[in-house]
Amino acid sequence: MKKLIVVLTAAVLSIIVAMPLTGQAAEKKAKGEIVMKVGNKVHLFHSGTADVKNEICPNDIVTVFRETGGAKNPQSKEVGKVKVLSYAGEHYFEAEVVSGEIRVGDIAKKESASCLVQPAK
């Protein structure tokens, strides 16, 4: 019985000690996210199909959305706009942030075409 109490006490103490560490790790991850602001160059990854290339052209202003809420309750929130500058290979557009703050993984949408936002290298 005493061994059980000692083991349970040790488990509770280890959980209490570990809780601040996991909270700090989550905070560091949020600070480490790449945020692209007005004037930054980005790459828009797309499927490379003709319909995307016909839909999105250089000099177009495309709205960027962030998906939130998870799989059960997805929601799109407008977070900024980008101006398409040029084609950058078969599957990328080069663009510049013209408003808002955009993160890696946000989605640039124009009518039926969507592109994944990534930082320019």
Side-chain angles (χ1 to χ4, degrees), residues 68-107:
T68 59
K72 292 185 178 182
N73 188 20
Q75 298 173 345
S76 290
K77 175 184 172 186
E78 184 178 327
V79 293
K81 294 183 185 284
V82 295
K83 180 179 181 179
V84 178
L85 301 174
S86 65
Y87 296 102
E90 191 174 325
H91 294 281
Y92 290 93
F93 294 110
E94 185 174 48
E96 181 179 350
V97 179
V98 293
S99 70
E101 288 188 353
I102 298 170
R103 295 184 185 157
V104 174
D106 288 346
I107 307 293

Side-chain angles (χ1 to χ4, degrees), residues 34-45 64 81-86 88 92-98 102-104 108 116-121:
I34 297 175
V35 177
M36 295 155 281
K37 298 180 181 182
V38 175
N40 290 124
K41 298 270 195 297
V42 297
H43 284 155
L44 305 178
F45 176 76
V64 179
K81 294 183 185 284
V82 295
K83 180 179 181 179
V84 178
L85 301 174
S86 65
Y92 290 93
F93 294 110
E94 185 174 48
E96 181 179 350
V97 179
V98 293
I102 298 170
R103 295 184 185 157
V104 174
L116 183 64
V117 178
Q118 299 179 339
K121 295 178 183 174

